[in-house]
Amino acid sequence: MENSGINKIEKLSFPWQTQDPFLFCVHHEDFFPKGNKDLGPAASLDGRMIGQDFTIKDGWRMYHGSKVPGFPAHPHCGFETVTAVRKGLVDHSDSLGAAGRFGNGDVQWMTAGKGVQHSEMFPLLKENEENPLELFQIWLNLPRDSKKVEPHFAMLWKDTIPVYKHKDTNGKSTEIEVMAGKIEDAAAPKPAPDSWAANPENEVAIWHIKMEPGAEFTLPTSQNKINRNLYFFKGKDFKLNETDLPHYHSAYLDARADITLKNGDEEARLLLLQGKPINEPVVQHGPFVLNYPAEVRETIMEFQKTEFGGWPWPSYENVHDKNKGRFAIHADGREEIKD
């Protein structure tokens, strides 16, 4: 692979490996059964380690949920979460009083900044059919001068996320959902305002790529040294130029090199993460990401004292009314209703 523009290929772990400015990426795919009246699974929970259920059993997991699958209230500080929900829905609640229900192509971009608690639960709204869920959660670091900004979340609704479409010389199609960054005239909606991605010079990109069988697509190049990771998570035979990229592997790419994606005989899906590295020290203790150990200790003490504003909801596993559609209520009271 020397001088090919492909720096490394490796098998995906859980979570997926990332590079600066990204900290973490996980792909959740669960084939949840029909829901019950409490928005949980209409199935026995026997044999599951409730509160810590990460083993796929019957095609799904409860994660940290006890009745509804998901992630009850937990803190974050010093970075951002980007939650891209491909299928299914997520109920968001946070310590600022903000809330939302989003999914089926929507993206939530949350800047934790100086500290926030939030819960992310997966309500199973359908009682007469299965409730499949697929999402990516991506952690994007914040530079030191933004570590303590006010928390904020932005909704990138599905109908605002552009899809770049390309046909190769054989008429085969590649489609790219541009959740961050741009390709030609396809520019993503604005991220949260204090994000590393808010400055176009940082060349942050989050793209979901779908290629039909036999399609080819050459990635746009950059003149700058940026980190670019490509994750091949669905499909079969795939090449980067003439190098095989096995299924469920990632490639660390040189963004200055010409790299052509060449799909095999099945539809392929890939995720691309790229960005200019922040190049600062990173000290992570669970959900707290600062620059130095003393800052982490101070943040833990602050959370123990203030709980980042407390928890204004009736449950740490808060879910919204079953009859509500997709919506967002922001901390300033602004409300968005989608359906």
Side-chain angles (χ1 to χ4, degrees):
M1 293 186 293
E2 187 176 355
N3 299 323
S4 67
I6 305 167
N7 298 328
K8 182 167 65 170
I9 289 176
E10 61 182 348
K11 186 174 177 60
L12 291 175
S13 61
F14 186 90
W16 292 354
Q17 307 90 326
T18 57
Q19 289 181 283
D20 186 3
F22 296 95
L23 299 162
F24 172 98
C25 178
V26 68
H27 177 226
H28 293 299
E29 187 167 25
D30 291 276
F31 299 92
F32 288 116
K34 297 175 183 179
N36 60 28
K37 61 180 178 61
D38 296 318
L39 308 189
S44 172
L45 299 182
D46 291 346
R48 295 183 179 274
M49 191 177 293
I50 296 303
Q52 190 70 29
D53 178 27
F54 282 78
T55 301
I56 297 178
K57 182 176 181 289
D58 301 324
W60 50 278
R61 298 154 283 196
M62 288 293 289
Y63 300 103
H64 293 307
S66 61
K67 294 182 179 179
V68 176
F71 295 85
H74 56 281
H76 288 305
C77 177
F79 65 99
E80 301 185 284
T81 61
V82 181
T83 307
V85 186
R86 309 291 309 161
K87 298 180 211 169
L89 295 165
V90 173
D91 275 4
H92 165 88
S93 309
D94 68 35
S95 56
L96 305 177
R101 172 173 286 165
F102 63 96
N104 295 323
D106 300 327
V107 175
Q108 186 203 62
W109 197 303
M110 188 184 81
T111 305
K114 68 180 185 180
V116 66
Q117 287 193 74
H118 76 154
S119 65
E120 304 156 290
M121 306 305 297
F122 309 145
L124 308 184
L125 299 185
K126 300 174 184 176
E127 295 186 17
N128 298 317
E129 58 183 287
E130 285 70 30
N131 291 271
L133 176 83
E134 182 183 13
L135 65 82
F136 298 98
Q137 183 160 97
I138 300 156
W139 291 11
L140 176 62
N141 201 9
L142 286 166
R144 182 172 180 79
D145 60 4
S146 298
K147 290 284 188 191
K148 294 295 185 177
V149 296
E150 292 294 327
H152 179 278
F153 84 85
M155 286 306 311
L156 282 55
W157 301 107
K158 178 179 173 59
D159 60 358
T160 70
I161 297 173
V163 178
Y164 173 81
K165 297 182 179 182
H166 173 268
K167 284 193 181 292
D168 62 24
T169 55
N170 294 315
K172 302 293 186 178
S173 176
T174 296
E175 295 186 359
I176 302 177
E177 292 178 55
V178 185
M179 295 174 274
K182 65 178 295 186
I183 308 175
E184 295 182 7
D185 293 332
K190 290 182 179 179
D194 292 300
S195 175
W196 185 246
N199 183 346
E201 292 183 2
N202 294 331
E203 296 189 60
V204 173
I206 302 174
W207 300 343
H208 177 268
I209 303 171
K210 180 174 73 172
M211 301 180 70
E212 72 171 308
E216 295 190 7
F217 176 74
T218 300
L219 292 171
T221 57
S222 171
Q223 295 182 351
N224 303 312
K225 186 173 175 53
I226 60 174
N227 288 332
R228 174 178 281 177
N229 287 32
L230 186 68
Y231 305 88
F232 175 38
F233 64 95
K234 284 191 180 179
K236 190 177 179 182
D237 301 313
F238 203 88
K239 289 182 181 292
L240 302 174
N241 294 337
E242 299 307 318
T243 300
D244 289 329
L245 179 63
H247 173 253
Y248 220 68
H249 280 64
S250 65
Y252 294 55
L253 304 178
D254 184 342
R256 297 167 296 185
D258 289 319
I259 303 286
T260 298
L261 314 184
K262 300 180 179 181
N263 192 20
D265 295 332
E266 295 182 8
E267 180 182 274
R269 291 180 183 253
L270 307 99
L271 182 73
L272 182 142
L273 301 180
Q274 76 167 38
K276 177 182 175 181
I278 296 173
N279 287 328
E280 292 179 352
V282 173
V283 177
Q284 180 175 349
H285 182 83
F288 307 122
V289 181
L290 285 303
N291 297 106
Y292 299 102
E295 296 170 333
V296 172
R297 292 193 292 270
E298 290 169 4
T299 300
I300 292 172
M301 291 176 62
E302 181 184 350
F303 175 65
Q304 291 171 339
K305 181 179 179 181
T306 68
E307 294 186 328
F308 294 156
W311 190 249
W313 303 96
S315 167
Y316 287 113
E317 303 184 28
N318 192 57
V319 291
H320 305 305
D321 186 281
K322 181 175 183 177
N323 296 315
K324 290 186 75 70
R326 291 152 57 240
F327 75 96
I329 299 175
H330 297 262
D332 61 4
R334 180 169 59 89
E335 189 168 1
E336 300 176 79
I337 304 293
K338 296 306 289 184
D339 53 35

